[in-house]
Amino acid sequence: SDNFTSSLNGVLTSFTLTHTPSPVAAISLYFNGLAQVYNTHFTVSGTTVTTNFTPLAGDNLVAIYPY
């Protein structure tokens, strides 16, 4: 899993995973504890997660995935 909370600043919408998810659709992304929907709230390309929202400083963003 990867925790991006310390990177959130109200500007970034893309975050780098430590590993490439496999399968990619198995990734779970949680924003402030709420599960986000793959291909609705975020996409994944390689090791990059891109959200369709801009997390602010103080928010919490965690990715859990097999690799």
Side-chain angles (χ1 to χ4, degrees):
S1 68
D2 291 306
N3 187 325
F4 304 111
T5 300
S6 64
S7 303
L8 306 182
N9 61 9
V11 177
L12 297 176
T13 59
S14 292
F15 306 93
T16 303
L17 299 167
T18 305
H19 305 281
T20 302
S22 180
V24 72
I27 190 169
S28 296
L29 188 71
Y30 295 92
F31 176 63
N32 291 335
L34 299 174
Q36 303 300 293
V37 178
Y38 177 67
N39 279 335
T40 299
H41 301 118
F42 70 98
T43 58
V44 179
S45 179
T47 58
T48 302
V49 173
T50 303
T51 61
N52 69 349
F53 55 90
T54 307
L56 303 174
D59 283 337
N60 187 324
L61 188 66
V62 176
I64 300 172
Y65 56 96
Y67 56 90

